[in-house]
Amino acid sequence: MEKNLYIVRCGEVALKGMNKPYFERILLERVRKALECYDDAEARWIDGLMFVRVPDTYSEDDVIASCVRVFGVASVSPAVEAPKDINEIGRIAAEFMQKVIDKEGIKTFKVKGKRADKSFAIESPEIARQVGGMVLKACKVLSVDVHRPDCVLTVDVRREAAYIFRDKVKGFGGLPLGTNGKGLILMSGGIDSPVAAFMMAKRGMSIECVHYHSYPYTSPRAQKKVEELVKVLAGYMGTIRMHVINLLPIQEQIVKNCPEDETTLLVRRFMMRIAEQIAIKNGDMMLITGEDLGQVASQTAEALVVTDSVVDMPVMRPLIAMDKVDIMDKAREIGTYDISIQPYEDCCTVFLPKHPVTKPKRERIEKSESALDIDALVEAAVASEEIIEIRP
């Protein structure tokens, strides 16, 4: 069975110095995992590039899509292999270009030569000149345009062979999943938290999530919406564990015993306490939220400081300085936006005060909380935990 060749390039992994072999090993494992759906697929590192071979019965677009979704992959190129003989390189390059002409009707091109193997007698500019001449001779409809060509053909001569490719399909880059510990994200059904989870996973962090509901004030469909969001994320990260917590008893006690304008912030502090307990129990290193500085009353600088004061665990906010429009664009890119905007409200919309406090004082908030049995409420909430495994 014939196999198609794909060149997979890493991004930051190449800069890791003494730790590079570890990151390369994890990235190779992740790519191989992504290719498990293709029979007889293979992947291996050769001189700093990953070479993937998949039977040609599978769609090229599908294989590329599988690879670029792996964090740590910078780009992927469909490629063909040629012996390290300039005439054979030229012949195979011409055949490659003829297929591009037949498919796209291009008129202009240029060749870029690369000589990673310095023992190859012909230098990079001369590789480009000679191969370009052979392509011109074989493909009569083409002309050279070095400034704005329809196609840039790259010839990369390496130790084992020469590789000919055209496109570089961009990946997400970042670091391989699992190389930077594990974190727990507070996952709502909104636009922000799925993007925050994605961004932390792109930095190599394994993710699990906690979701709060206030049934019957929130509907079961609201939780299903969150499960759908996590399923999209699982397409990038693999199976994600979702901890579901009933927050309603805490909200009812806050509404009954505390000032109305502090309701949102007090609920948020309980969310953080509960999340920290779950994170400690499951070996998570930090909490993650989708908060964006100044976006709503509970996300002012003063409110965030008061919120964080109830936990000892670090709180990561990868969206903290992003514009909302940029967050929305990222949500569209990763495929969560259309789910997030579905009109099913989460627990954060329950018992909203008319005029929430925006510049809270920690002492005043703690005084309000003194009317509550904090430990008992947190313990009961954690005990209500339901765990759902969300698979891709």
Side-chain angles (χ1 to χ4, degrees):
M1 182 183 295
E2 293 292 324
K3 290 187 175 182
N4 289 333
L5 172 66
Y6 305 86
I7 298 175
V8 178
R9 302 171 191 84
C10 60
E12 290 182 56
V13 171
L15 307 175
K16 288 300 176 182
M18 297 292 289
N19 292 321
K20 182 179 175 182
Y22 165 72
F23 284 90
E24 287 185 337
R25 176 177 61 80
I26 300 298
L27 182 56
L28 183 62
E29 290 174 0
R30 295 296 180 189
V31 171
R32 286 174 172 169
K33 181 73 174 176
L35 297 173
E36 284 182 348
C37 56
Y38 307 107
D39 294 331
D40 200 26
E42 56 183 289
R44 62 184 181 128
W45 286 106
I46 304 175
D47 294 336
L49 292 178
M50 191 185 302
F51 290 83
V52 168
R53 298 178 191 272
V54 179
D56 60 8
T57 52
Y58 294 104
S59 161
E60 185 178 275
D61 290 342
D62 289 345
V63 175
I64 292 172
S66 297
C67 292
V68 297
R69 290 170 73 87
V70 176
F71 296 121
V73 170
S75 67
V76 179
S77 295
V80 294
E81 191 174 27
K84 288 164 57 176
D85 174 85
I86 195 63
N87 292 318
E88 280 297 291
I89 294 172
R91 180 184 66 80
I92 294 172
E95 292 176 355
F96 182 93
M97 286 302 299
Q98 188 59 57
K99 291 179 181 178
V100 176
I101 294 167
D102 294 341
K103 183 179 179 180
E104 302 179 25
I106 66 167
K107 299 297 184 183
T108 61
F109 82 112
K110 77 172 183 179
V111 178
K112 180 179 180 182
K114 295 179 67 178
R115 188 180 62 142
D117 180 5
K118 301 306 180 185
S119 68
F120 190 69
I122 305 173
E123 295 184 352
S124 299
E126 186 63 15
I127 292 172
R129 191 188 70 80
Q130 291 194 37
V131 172
M134 286 183 267
V135 171
L136 278 174
K137 185 176 180 180
C139 304
K140 305 295 185 182
V141 299
L142 289 179
S143 61
V144 174
D145 183 343
V146 297
H147 299 294
R148 300 184 64 183
D150 296 331
C151 173
V152 177
L153 184 69
T154 301
V155 177
D156 188 358
V157 180
R158 305 185 78 83
R159 179 169 51 88
E160 292 198 348
Y163 300 95
I164 299 162
F165 59 88
R166 175 208 177 177
D167 297 317
K168 285 187 177 182
V169 181
K170 188 177 179 181
F172 289 113
L175 297 173
L177 193 70
T179 57
N180 246 335
K182 186 172 70 167
L184 177 70
I185 183 160
L186 283 69
M187 180 69 69
S188 73
I191 294 171
D192 300 339
S193 53
V195 175
F198 177 91
M199 292 181 69
M200 292 301 289
K202 180 181 172 182
R203 300 308 306 159
M205 178 163 281
S206 296
I207 299 294
E208 56 183 339
C209 60
V210 56
H211 172 66
Y212 300 95
H213 70 81
S214 302
Y215 183 78
Y217 291 94
T218 56
S219 72
R221 186 63 187 86
Q223 181 176 319
K224 288 295 182 184
K225 171 185 171 182
V226 175
E227 291 176 18
E228 290 172 12
L229 287 169
V230 176
K231 187 175 181 66
V232 172
L233 295 175
Y236 299 98
M237 308 175 199
T239 301
I240 298 174
R241 180 182 295 173
M242 178 168 147
H243 306 265
V244 181
I245 300 291
N246 179 13
L247 199 64
L248 183 59
I250 291 174
Q251 291 174 298
E252 290 176 332
Q253 287 298 308
I254 290 173
V255 170
K256 181 180 178 181
N257 295 287
C258 301
E260 181 191 5
D261 64 342
E262 297 174 357
T263 300
T264 300
L265 186 59
L266 291 168
V267 169
R268 193 69 183 170
R269 280 163 64 91
F270 271 95
M271 286 181 171
M272 299 296 280
R273 291 184 177 104
I274 295 164
E276 184 178 47
Q277 291 302 310
I278 294 171
I280 292 170
K281 182 172 63 175
N282 290 278
D284 299 312
M285 300 170 61
M286 57 189 63
L287 304 180
I288 307 163
T289 80
E291 289 163 315
D292 176 11
L293 186 62
Q295 184 175 182
V296 294
S298 63
Q299 297 176 24
T300 63
E302 294 87 350
L304 294 178
V305 170
V306 171
T307 299
D308 286 1
S309 67
V310 299
V311 295
D312 295 322
M313 188 169 283
V315 182
M316 298 292 108
R317 295 183 170 92
L319 312 185
I320 193 68
M322 290 182 66
D323 292 338
K324 187 67 174 184
V325 173
D326 294 334
I327 299 171
M328 292 165 66
D329 288 344
K330 178 59 73 172
R332 293 187 182 96
E333 180 186 355
I334 67 177
T336 57
Y337 180 81
D338 289 339
I339 301 172
S340 292
I341 62 173
Q342 292 176 8
Y344 301 103
E345 297 180 329
D346 58 32
C347 67
C348 295
T349 62
V350 178
F351 306 124
L352 280 176
K354 291 182 179 180
H355 303 288
V357 60
T358 58
K359 294 186 177 182
K361 300 295 183 182
R362 179 177 172 180
E363 296 78 12
R364 179 179 170 183
I365 295 297
E366 290 176 345
K367 181 178 180 181
S368 298
E369 284 180 335
S370 66
L372 306 171
D373 189 340
I374 295 172
D375 292 341
L377 288 170
V378 171
E379 183 179 350
V382 173
S384 78
E385 175 188 40
E386 175 190 2
I387 298 176
I388 304 173
E389 299 281 343
I390 308 292
R391 294 176 171 81

